[in-house]
Structure formats: C-alpha cells, structure tokens
Amino acid sequence: MHPMHRIAFVAVACVAAATAWAQSPLDGSWRVTFATEGSEGREALVELKGGAGTWSTYPRGDRDRRDACVGRPFPIAMAGDATTGLSLQLDAKAIPGCRDRKATLKVVDDKTLEGHFDNGRALTLVKQ
C-alpha cells in the first residue's frame, strides 16, 4: 500500500471509530422519581453509558439503614429507541430480598423519560 493511501486509510478508520463510539443521547446521569407500595415517593440515581449502567436507590434517612437493596448500585440495561419506546431492566435479585424490575419508558423530551415498572408503578427519569 502506498504511504499516502495508508495515511488516508488510517484517517478514515479513526473517524469511523470515533463515530461508532459517539455518546448516546441516553448516556449520563438521570434522577429517577418513583412510588413504592405505600405510594411513597422515592428517588434513585441512574448512570448510563452505551445502553448499560447502574441504578442506586437513595436511602431515606435511618429508615433504610438495614435495607440491602438501598444505597448500592445494581446493574441495568436499556434497550430500544425514541420511536418504538425504551425498556429498562434492573438486575437486583443477586442480593437476597431484592427484586429484578423491568420498566417501559417513552421519551418526553431530550431530558425526560416517563413510564411504568412491570408492577404498574410510574417512574420518571430526568437527565442531570
């Protein structure tokens, strides 16, 4: 391969790789609000990168001191797109007493997602 062709090839490969690694609009930190069984409002932090990330439910003072499902990051996966809808899969059952959850979400705008867990409870994600 001619040296000039090699340089052009490397440049095109670098641009293609940078495009493939471009940040998804869902990547970043999201503040989640949702209701629990007692209709009590709760909050969590979701960190996403490339369709995968973590979910960490915020503790409520001393009330959650012994809850193994609160204050720790659990793996999540996000799939779908803005036109067909998004699905969120929370994988928490590895910790005794914690439950996996699924949610379906729709895009409200570039900083807001709304939807429902598999148990029917509403949740909202707001990009920080």
Side-chain angles (χ1 to χ4, degrees), residues 10-41:
V10 170
V12 169
C14 288
V15 169
T19 302
W21 294 337
Q23 185 176 19
S24 162
L26 296 175
D27 286 357
S29 299
W30 296 80
R31 187 174 110 303
V32 184
T33 55
F34 61 102
T36 59
E37 283 107 22
S39 297
E40 186 173 354

Short mmCIF file of all heavy atoms in Angstrom, two decimals, residues 10-41:
data_model
loop_
_atom_site.label_atom_id
_atom_site.label_comp_id
_atom_site.label_asym_id
_atom_site.label_seq_id
_atom_site.Cartn_x
_atom_site.Cartn_y
_atom_site.Cartn_z
N VAL A 10 -5.91 5.11 7.52
CA VAL A 10 -5.87 5.27 8.98
C VAL A 10 -6.79 6.43 9.40
O VAL A 10 -7.52 6.31 10.38
CB VAL A 10 -4.42 5.49 9.46
CG1 VAL A 10 -4.39 5.91 10.92
CG2 VAL A 10 -3.61 4.22 9.26
N ALA A 11 -6.78 7.52 8.67
CA ALA A 11 -7.63 8.67 9.00
C ALA A 11 -9.11 8.28 8.92
O ALA A 11 -9.89 8.61 9.81
CB ALA A 11 -7.33 9.84 8.07
N VAL A 12 -9.50 7.57 7.86
CA VAL A 12 -10.90 7.14 7.72
C VAL A 12 -11.27 6.16 8.83
O VAL A 12 -12.35 6.24 9.41
CB VAL A 12 -11.13 6.51 6.32
CG1 VAL A 12 -12.48 5.81 6.25
CG2 VAL A 12 -11.02 7.57 5.25
N ALA A 13 -10.38 5.24 9.17
CA ALA A 13 -10.64 4.29 10.25
C ALA A 13 -10.82 5.01 11.58
O ALA A 13 -11.70 4.65 12.38
CB ALA A 13 -9.51 3.27 10.35
N CYS A 14 -10.03 6.03 11.85
CA CYS A 14 -10.16 6.79 13.10
C CYS A 14 -11.49 7.54 13.17
O CYS A 14 -12.14 7.55 14.20
CB CYS A 14 -9.00 7.77 13.25
SG CYS A 14 -7.44 6.95 13.63
N VAL A 15 -11.90 8.13 12.06
CA VAL A 15 -13.18 8.83 12.02
C VAL A 15 -14.32 7.84 12.23
O VAL A 15 -15.26 8.10 12.98
CB VAL A 15 -13.35 9.61 10.70
CG1 VAL A 15 -14.77 10.12 10.53
CG2 VAL A 15 -12.36 10.76 10.64
N ALA A 16 -14.26 6.68 11.60
CA ALA A 16 -15.30 5.66 11.76
C ALA A 16 -15.36 5.18 13.20
O ALA A 16 -16.44 5.01 13.76
CB ALA A 16 -15.05 4.49 10.81
N ALA A 17 -14.23 4.96 13.82
CA ALA A 17 -14.20 4.51 15.21
C ALA A 17 -14.76 5.58 16.13
O ALA A 17 -15.54 5.28 17.05
CB ALA A 17 -12.78 4.14 15.63
N ALA A 18 -14.41 6.82 15.89
CA ALA A 18 -14.94 7.91 16.73
C ALA A 18 -16.44 8.02 16.58
O ALA A 18 -17.16 8.25 17.56
CB ALA A 18 -14.26 9.23 16.35
N THR A 19 -16.96 7.83 15.38
CA THR A 19 -18.40 7.87 15.16
C THR A 19 -19.08 6.71 15.88
O THR A 19 -20.12 6.88 16.50
CB THR A 19 -18.71 7.83 13.66
OG1 THR A 19 -18.06 8.93 13.03
CG2 THR A 19 -20.20 7.91 13.39
N ALA A 20 -18.51 5.53 15.82
CA ALA A 20 -19.09 4.37 16.48
C ALA A 20 -19.10 4.53 17.99
O ALA A 20 -19.98 4.02 18.68
CB ALA A 20 -18.33 3.11 16.09
N TRP A 21 -18.12 5.25 18.53
CA TRP A 21 -18.03 5.44 19.97
C TRP A 21 -18.71 6.71 20.44
O TRP A 21 -18.58 7.11 21.58
CB TRP A 21 -16.58 5.47 20.41
CG TRP A 21 -15.87 4.16 20.23
CD1 TRP A 21 -16.43 2.93 20.16
CD2 TRP A 21 -14.47 3.96 20.09
NE1 TRP A 21 -15.47 1.97 19.97
CE2 TRP A 21 -14.25 2.59 19.93
CE3 TRP A 21 -13.38 4.82 20.08
CZ2 TRP A 21 -12.99 2.05 19.78
CZ3 TRP A 21 -12.13 4.27 19.92
CH2 TRP A 21 -11.94 2.90 19.78
N ALA A 22 -19.42 7.38 19.53
CA ALA A 22 -20.08 8.63 19.89
C ALA A 22 -21.05 8.40 21.04
O ALA A 22 -21.66 7.34 21.16
CB ALA A 22 -20.83 9.19 18.69
N GLN A 23 -21.19 9.40 21.85
CA GLN A 23 -22.04 9.30 23.03
C GLN A 23 -23.51 9.18 22.63
O GLN A 23 -23.99 9.91 21.78
CB GLN A 23 -21.83 10.52 23.91
CG GLN A 23 -22.57 10.44 25.22
CD GLN A 23 -22.26 11.63 26.10
OE1 GLN A 23 -21.81 12.66 25.64
NE2 GLN A 23 -22.52 11.49 27.37
N SER A 24 -24.20 8.26 23.26
CA SER A 24 -25.63 8.10 23.06
C SER A 24 -26.36 9.24 23.78
O SER A 24 -25.91 9.70 24.82
CB SER A 24 -26.07 6.75 23.64
OG SER A 24 -27.46 6.73 23.84
N PRO A 25 -27.52 9.67 23.28
CA PRO A 25 -28.27 10.72 23.98
C PRO A 25 -28.74 10.27 25.36
O PRO A 25 -29.07 11.09 26.20
CB PRO A 25 -29.44 11.02 23.07
CG PRO A 25 -29.35 10.12 21.91
CD PRO A 25 -28.11 9.30 22.02
N LEU A 26 -28.77 8.96 25.61
CA LEU A 26 -29.17 8.46 26.92
C LEU A 26 -28.01 8.40 27.91
O LEU A 26 -28.23 8.25 29.11
CB LEU A 26 -29.79 7.07 26.79
CG LEU A 26 -31.08 6.99 26.00
CD1 LEU A 26 -31.52 5.54 25.85
CD2 LEU A 26 -32.17 7.82 26.65
N ASP A 27 -26.78 8.50 27.43
CA ASP A 27 -25.62 8.42 28.31
C ASP A 27 -25.62 9.58 29.30
O ASP A 27 -25.97 10.70 28.96
CB ASP A 27 -24.32 8.46 27.52
CG ASP A 27 -24.04 7.16 26.78
OD1 ASP A 27 -24.82 6.20 26.93
OD2 ASP A 27 -23.04 7.12 26.04
N GLY A 28 -25.25 9.27 30.54
CA GLY A 28 -25.15 10.31 31.55
C GLY A 28 -25.87 9.92 32.83
O GLY A 28 -26.25 8.77 33.05
N SER A 29 -26.08 10.92 33.69
CA SER A 29 -26.74 10.74 34.98
C SER A 29 -28.20 11.16 34.88
O SER A 29 -28.52 12.20 34.31
CB SER A 29 -26.06 11.60 36.05
OG SER A 29 -24.72 11.21 36.21
N TRP A 30 -29.07 10.35 35.47
CA TRP A 30 -30.50 10.59 35.47
C TRP A 30 -31.03 10.52 36.91
O TRP A 30 -30.70 9.58 37.64
CB TRP A 30 -31.23 9.55 34.64
CG TRP A 30 -30.88 9.55 33.18
CD1 TRP A 30 -29.78 9.00 32.60
CD2 TRP A 30 -31.64 10.13 32.13
NE1 TRP A 30 -29.81 9.20 31.25
CE2 TRP A 30 -30.94 9.89 30.92
CE3 TRP A 30 -32.85 10.83 32.09
CZ2 TRP A 30 -31.41 10.32 29.70
CZ3 TRP A 30 -33.31 11.26 30.86
CH2 TRP A 30 -32.61 11.01 29.68
N ARG A 31 -31.84 11.47 37.31
CA ARG A 31 -32.52 11.42 38.61
C ARG A 31 -33.87 10.76 38.38
O ARG A 31 -34.64 11.18 37.52
CB ARG A 31 -32.72 12.82 39.18
CG ARG A 31 -33.27 12.78 40.60
CD ARG A 31 -33.32 14.17 41.19
NE ARG A 31 -34.54 14.79 41.41
CZ ARG A 31 -35.61 15.12 40.66
NH1 ARG A 31 -35.70 14.96 39.62
NH2 ARG A 31 -36.67 15.68 40.95
N VAL A 32 -34.12 9.71 39.14
CA VAL A 32 -35.35 8.93 38.98
C VAL A 32 -36.27 9.20 40.16
O VAL A 32 -35.82 9.20 41.31
CB VAL A 32 -35.03 7.41 38.93
CG1 VAL A 32 -36.30 6.61 38.67
CG2 VAL A 32 -33.97 7.11 37.90
N THR A 33 -37.53 9.44 39.88
CA THR A 33 -38.55 9.51 40.93
C THR A 33 -39.56 8.41 40.65
O THR A 33 -39.93 8.16 39.49
CB THR A 33 -39.24 10.88 40.98
OG1 THR A 33 -39.76 11.18 39.69
CG2 THR A 33 -38.26 11.97 41.40
N PHE A 34 -40.00 7.73 41.72
CA PHE A 34 -40.96 6.64 41.56
C PHE A 34 -41.68 6.43 42.88
O PHE A 34 -41.26 6.92 43.92
CB PHE A 34 -40.26 5.35 41.12
CG PHE A 34 -39.23 4.81 42.08
CD1 PHE A 34 -39.53 3.74 42.91
CD2 PHE A 34 -37.96 5.38 42.14
CE1 PHE A 34 -38.57 3.25 43.79
CE2 PHE A 34 -37.00 4.88 43.01
CZ PHE A 34 -37.31 3.82 43.84
N ALA A 35 -42.79 5.72 42.83
CA ALA A 35 -43.58 5.43 44.02
C ALA A 35 -43.40 3.97 44.42
O ALA A 35 -43.23 3.11 43.57
CB ALA A 35 -45.06 5.73 43.77
N THR A 36 -43.44 3.72 45.71
CA THR A 36 -43.36 2.34 46.23
C THR A 36 -44.76 1.85 46.57
O THR A 36 -45.75 2.53 46.33
CB THR A 36 -42.45 2.29 47.47
OG1 THR A 36 -42.98 3.15 48.46
CG2 THR A 36 -41.04 2.72 47.13
N GLU A 37 -44.82 0.67 47.19
CA GLU A 37 -46.11 0.06 47.52
C GLU A 37 -47.02 0.96 48.33
O GLU A 37 -48.22 0.95 48.15
CB GLU A 37 -45.89 -1.27 48.26
CG GLU A 37 -45.49 -2.40 47.35
CD GLU A 37 -44.05 -2.78 47.50
OE1 GLU A 37 -43.43 -2.50 48.54
OE2 GLU A 37 -43.51 -3.38 46.56
N GLY A 38 -46.50 1.73 49.23
CA GLY A 38 -47.32 2.62 50.05
C GLY A 38 -47.56 3.96 49.38
O GLY A 38 -47.92 4.92 50.05
N SER A 39 -47.34 4.05 48.08
CA SER A 39 -47.45 5.30 47.32
C SER A 39 -46.47 6.35 47.81
O SER A 39 -46.66 7.53 47.58
CB SER A 39 -48.89 5.84 47.36
OG SER A 39 -49.77 4.95 46.76
N GLU A 40 -45.46 5.91 48.50
CA GLU A 40 -44.45 6.82 48.99
C GLU A 40 -43.47 7.16 47.86
O GLU A 40 -43.05 6.29 47.12
CB GLU A 40 -43.69 6.15 50.14
CG GLU A 40 -42.71 7.06 50.80
CD GLU A 40 -42.10 6.41 52.04
OE1 GLU A 40 -42.52 5.32 52.43
OE2 GLU A 40 -41.18 7.03 52.58
N GLY A 41 -43.13 8.43 47.75
CA GLY A 41 -42.19 8.86 46.72
C GLY A 41 -40.77 8.45 47.07
O GLY A 41 -40.34 8.57 48.21
#
